[in-house]
């Protein structure tokens, strides 16, 4: 059980900066997601928390104790590797008991703990098998067993489902989340799959190029993206980012977009120049009375909903409509935006402008 | 995994491959068999022409290998009590008596001490160095590795004279320690390079898992890396032992009285009372045994070691 605080942590490899001054807090018992595209520094961040990599600068606190420069063996953190890294020269039982042996725990207690873990994970029948011939799912369970048997302060998992096939991944992610809910241990989970992060996480940190773009609950990150990168990375299909030249004033409740007024949440800062209007596909509706127009270029049927791709004066726009709504390719339709949900970005810096929508969520001035 | 396919060879291909293997085996094994047989021949049988394939086996060669003998006058021979042991009897038949043990046993023991000692030292130092080169940021790593390899770029004997002088200065001439150090120096480059290759193949995650599990770096090394590297260590050890065991030139040059190994000793058997080929053959046969046993014991590892990297999942 632990609260983990990351403060201004940086990591350089030679003259390449893998992680730029990052700060976030992982509360005790949270299932915490590190999300971002490949190469953005997620693994490096996780390894710094675990002590497999020492930060170039910055501090890491585990339960109030600064551990940034301590070796992994002294941090009492478990790590589930992407390829599991089960000791190939030991059988399942020895793999799981290995962390206990290092603590000098008595034989009987080790046995009891391994049996308990095996029961929780449903791997009692494979305890005496070599790890070589195990299926992907069983390897995953053994790796988890080795992590939980020690009852560590926190779990680090680096894309633990990445090595499994898609079919099994869903099942295993439910199993993982259920396990976490039962044990309540702080878990930091790395993934590049935004859907996985949204489904499983209590909190998410979104990283890009070694920079923390946003830190918050899945709802916050989905509804109030702090940057255009986050807006584009989260959601399938992603948020529409309609670029245009214009201006907004502080206090404004609408802006001029594509020749007509669009209602927006009350702005707390103004900007003039290259802007982008952020619209989730489900927050734009077909309405022939609305001033904005688009031509339906494609229809993707998804069962309960359908995704329409529209050509507009400011670029392509995706719209999620009920499956029952009639939409024909080639038709020109009116578009009504749901004003309370829109984000306005400074298209040059990529940052969201502060408004009533995102201000309480930590939007800066 | 992909990129090649395995097709079952046709019976004809199998037959040809089998014949080639058997032919090669016969060619390489024949001299060994010849030595083995010669060791059990009498001196006259051993030089008879055409060579005898069927003969009456005798242990004379082995007795001669382990003893020194003197010729005595027929009168003295008559006056001696009857031979007490089977080997006394064999010697008496040639009108000789045993004067004492030969130095073969001693030389053989020297070979064991020096061969296995230098192999152990090469592997010990080589494994540590290879691990460091594989895992740590070593300044000038590539240059150092090249330098280590470059010590093998000329035949070792090319530096015989400087080493001879150096050993004399340091008092290492004709000592076990000197020979162990020398063979280790020659073998270490091979050991470092081979072992680094093997250790490079072991994923870093295993050690990191051990670190996470609460083990120190050194514990992670010997509890996780070493067992994984066993294959590589075994095959490297065989190569090192074979070199140290068979080395002849340095042994002739640097050893004489105390630390002489078996290879320079065996030829000196020739000339003690004529060309005693059976004794030479007996000495060679016994000399082959330790390496053979060592290789057979480790052969499972050796096979896996040589194909290491080719068969990863
Ligand atoms: N040991 C290392 N030495 C040099 N560069 C590294 C090292 N580890 C990671 N990097 C670089 O740091 C960046 C971030 O890597 P990583 O944290 O593994 O990304 P992610 O897990 O998000 O895919 C990558 O560009 C990677 O090449
Ligand atoms: Mg990664």
């Amino acid at each position: 059980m632990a609260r983990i605080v990351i403060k201004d942590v940086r990591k350089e490899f030679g003259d390449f900066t893998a992680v730029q001054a990052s700060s976030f807090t992982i509360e005790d018992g949270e299932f915490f997601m590190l999300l971002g595209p490949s190469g953005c520094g997620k693994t490096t961040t996780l390894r710094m928390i675990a002590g497999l990599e020492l930060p170039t600068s910055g501090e890491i606190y585990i339960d109030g104790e600064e551990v940034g420069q301590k070796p992994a063996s002294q941090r009492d953190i478990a790590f589930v590797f992407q390829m599991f890294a089960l000791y190939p020269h030991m059988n399942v039982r020895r793999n799981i008991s290995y962390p206990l042996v290092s603590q000098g725990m008595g034989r009987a207690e080790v046995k009891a703990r391994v049996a308990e873990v095996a029961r929780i994970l449903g791997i009692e029948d494979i305890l005496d098998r070599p790890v070589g011939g195990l299926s992907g799912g069983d390897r995953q369970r053994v790796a988890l067993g080795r992590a939980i048997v020690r009852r560590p302060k926190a779990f680090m998992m680096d894309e633990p489902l990445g090595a499994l096939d898609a079919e099994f991944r869903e099942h295993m992610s439910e199993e993982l989340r259920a396990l976490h809910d039962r044990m309540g241990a702080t878990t930091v989970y790395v993934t590049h799959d935004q859907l996985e992060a949204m489904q499983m996480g209590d909190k998410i940190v979104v990283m890009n190029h070694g920079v923390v773009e946003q830190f918050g609950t899945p709802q916050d990150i989905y509804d109030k993206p702090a940057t255009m990168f986050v807006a584009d990375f989260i959601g399938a299909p992603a948020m529409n980012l309609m670029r245009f030249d214009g201006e907004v004033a502080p206090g404004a409740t609408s802006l001029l977009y594509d020749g007509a007024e669009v209602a927006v949440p009350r702005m707390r800062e103004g900007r003039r120049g290259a802007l982008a209007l952020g619209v989730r596909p489900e927050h734009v509706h077909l309405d022939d009375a609305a001033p904005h127009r688009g031509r339906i270029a494609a229809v993707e049927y998804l069962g309960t909903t359908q995704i329409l791709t529209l050509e507009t004066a400011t670029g392509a726009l995706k719209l999620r409509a009920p499956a029952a709504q009639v939409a024909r390719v080639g038709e020109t339709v009116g578009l009504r935006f749901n004003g309370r949900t829109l984000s306005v970005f400074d298209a040059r810096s990529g940052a969201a402008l502060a408004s009533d929508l995102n201000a309480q969520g930590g939007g800066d001035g | 995994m992909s990129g090649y396919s395995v097709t079952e060879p046709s019976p004809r291909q199998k037959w040809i491959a089998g014949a080639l293997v058997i032919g090669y085996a016969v060619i390489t094994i024949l001299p060994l068999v010849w030595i083995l047989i010669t060791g059990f021949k009498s001196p006259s049988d051993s030089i008879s022409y055409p060579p005898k394939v069927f003969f009456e086996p005798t242990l004379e060669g082995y007795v001669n290998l382990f003893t020194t003998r003197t010729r005595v006058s027929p009168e003295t021979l008559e006056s001696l009590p009857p031979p007490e042991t089977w080997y006394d009897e064999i010697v008496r038949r040639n009108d000789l008596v045993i004067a004492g043990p030969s130095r073969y046993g001693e030389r053989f023991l020297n070979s064991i001490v020096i061969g296995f000692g230098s192999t152990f030292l090469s592997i010990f130092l080589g494994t540590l160095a290879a691990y460091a080169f594989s895992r740590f940021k070593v300044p000038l790593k590539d240059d150092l590795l090249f330098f280590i390899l470059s010590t093998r770029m000329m035949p070792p004997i090319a530096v015989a004279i400087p080493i001879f002088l150096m050993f004399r200065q340091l008092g290492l001439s004709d000592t076990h320690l000197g020979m162990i150090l020398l063979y280790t120096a020659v073998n270490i480059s091979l050991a470092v390079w081979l072992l680094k290759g093997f250790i490079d193949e072991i994923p870093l995650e295993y050690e990191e898992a051990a670190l996470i599990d609460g083990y120190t770096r050194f514990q992670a090394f010997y509890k996780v890396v070493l067992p994984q590297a066993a294959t590589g260590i075994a095959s490297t050890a065989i190569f090192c032992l074979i070199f140290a065991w068979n080395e002849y030139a340095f042994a002739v040059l640097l050893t004489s009285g105390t630390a002489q190994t078996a290879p320079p000793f065996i030829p000196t058997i020739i000339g003690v009372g004529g060309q005693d080929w059976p004794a030479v053959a007996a000495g060679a046969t016994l000399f082959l045994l330790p390496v053979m046993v060592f290789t057979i014991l480790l052969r499972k590892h050796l096979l896996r070691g040589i194909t290491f990297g080719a068969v990863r999942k």
Side-chain angles (χ1 to χ4, degrees), chain B residues 62-284:
Chain B
Y62 285 86
V63 172
N64 289 355
L65 176 68
F66 283 101
T67 58
T68 55
R69 300 153 305 278
T70 44
R71 185 165 297 280
V72 290
S73 62
E75 301 85 62
T76 333
L77 205 63
E78 286 295 311
S79 66
L80 286 173
E84 282 171 14
T85 58
W86 60 271
Y87 45 88
D88 272 333
E89 200 184 318
I90 290 176
V91 173
R92 288 283 176 92
R93 270 187 234 143
N94 296 325
D95 298 343
L96 297 169
V97 289
I98 291 175
S102 78
R103 308 200 73 172
Y104 183 74
E106 210 179 296
R107 300 319 193 205
F108 194 83
L109 206 65
N110 283 345
S111 268
I112 300 246
V113 169
I114 291 170
F116 283 87
S118 75
T119 299
F120 175 79
L121 198 60
S122 305
I123 293 297
F124 178 75
L125 296 175
T127 308
L128 292 179
Y131 180 74
F133 275 123
S134 174
R135 296 297 199 243
F136 297 128
K137 235 186 257 159
V138 180
L140 299 177
K141 181 188 281 188
D142 292 343
D143 305 279
L144 281 174
L145 278 169
F146 182 79
F147 169 73
I148 289 172
L149 186 66
S150 71
T151 60
R152 274 308 269 275
M153 286 184 184
M154 54 188 166
I157 200 67
V159 289
I161 303 297
I163 285 179
F164 178 76
L165 297 174
M166 215 157 69
F167 268 42
R168 214 173 48 184
Q169 282 292 316
L170 295 171
L172 288 172
S173 292
D174 201 18
T175 61
H176 293 93
L177 179 66
M179 294 312 285
I180 289 176
L181 289 178
L182 179 67
Y183 290 161
T184 303
V186 175
N187 270 335
I188 194 107
S189 64
L190 176 81
V192 170
W193 272 80
L194 278 180
L195 288 167
K196 178 176 178 297
F198 285 108
I199 293 175
D200 281 346
E201 294 268 327
I202 302 170
L204 208 58
E205 279 86 355
Y206 295 136
E207 278 154 272
E208 293 183 333
L211 292 179
I212 290 280
D213 284 349
Y215 294 89
T216 64
R217 180 109 214 172
F218 190 69
Q219 287 172 323
F221 168 72
Y222 78 77
K223 291 193 165 162
V224 175
V225 179
L226 274 194
Q228 301 287 325
T231 301
I233 289 174
S235 37
T236 309
I238 289 174
F239 289 127
C240 289
L241 180 69
I242 288 175
F243 169 81
W245 191 255
N246 291 335
E247 205 285 330
Y248 178 76
F250 278 119
V252 166
L253 194 71
L254 297 174
T255 63
S256 49
T258 48
Q260 192 182 50
T261 53
F265 176 76
I266 292 173
T268 64
I269 301 168
I270 306 171
V272 180
Q275 299 193 335
D276 194 350
W277 292 116
V280 172

Side-chain angles (χ1 to χ4, degrees), chain B residues 274-297:
Chain B
Q275 299 193 335
D276 194 350
W277 292 116
V280 172
T285 305
L286 291 181
F287 182 68
L288 286 174
L289 285 179
V291 182
M292 228 165 83
V293 170
F294 189 66
T295 310
I296 288 171
L297 286 180

